[in-house]
Amino acid sequence: MQLTQHTDFGLRLLIVLARKGGAVSLPAFSAEQGLSYHHVAKVAQGLVQAGFAVSQRGRSGGIALARPANEICVGDVVRKLERGLRLADCGTCALRANCGLSGVLAEALDAFMAVLDRYTLADVSAEGVPAFAPWAMLPVAPGCVVTDPS
């Protein structure tokens, strides 16, 4: 499963807010992350509307967490930011009346969300935790070389 860019940016912004412990300037965050300011502003607006963040005006303004990081569930954030959370478009498929895949996909999505529901923003924003490198776990075909993308 791959999250949309909107959700990815939202989770990044929330992690930075949790680590900072105060307001973050959106232009500064955008520049730090190498992201479009306009896209980040739209994401921030969604986080504020969903109740995960508050916007602060003024000289030391920006965006800050609306509540402590240990009270924000990662699964809740994904549910609010991901539009149409589904793995396939079974509604337009000619096989929809006679196919077991939709049930399997629904079960997979439930399992995915159950894992996200086990973690809070405080858990995923802890510093010093090495990032997961999925490319390092993939089986390598003979003659192929897997390199670290960073």
Side-chain angles (χ1 to χ4, degrees):
M1 166 141 197
Q2 184 171 350
L3 299 175
T4 62
Q5 194 176 53
H6 185 83
T7 302
D8 175 32
F9 291 2
L11 289 168
R12 286 194 217 184
L13 181 53
L14 288 173
I15 288 170
V16 169
L17 294 175
R19 287 180 176 173
K20 173 116 171 137
V24 169
S25 155
L26 292 182
F29 172 80
S30 300
E32 250 178 41
Q33 295 286 319
L35 305 174
S36 159
Y37 169 77
H38 295 293
H39 196 141
V40 168
K42 186 174 180 178
V43 168
Q45 183 181 26
L47 291 172
V48 169
Q49 288 174 346
F52 298 117
V54 292
S55 60
Q56 302 172 345
R57 293 182 174 215
R59 185 169 169 86
S60 61
I63 187 169
L65 291 179
R67 56 186 189 271
N70 65 351
E71 294 178 12
I72 298 175
C73 175
V74 175
D76 290 340
V77 174
V78 170
R79 282 183 190 88
K80 291 282 186 180
L81 296 182
E82 267 310 298
R83 292 178 175 84
L85 191 62
R86 60 184 178 192
L87 300 180
D89 186 9
C90 296
T92 61
C93 178
L95 300 174
R96 73 179 178 271
N98 187 20
C99 176
L101 183 60
S102 61
V104 172
L105 293 177
E107 183 181 349
L109 181 58
D110 286 346
F112 176 76
M113 294 307 299
V115 170
L116 296 182
D117 287 338
R118 292 195 323 238
Y119 297 94
T120 67
L121 184 56
D123 297 325
V124 300
S125 64
E127 294 193 66
V129 178
F132 175 66
W135 57 88
M137 298 178 62
L138 296 173
V140 179
C144 291
V145 177
V146 177
T147 58
D148 184 335
S150 56

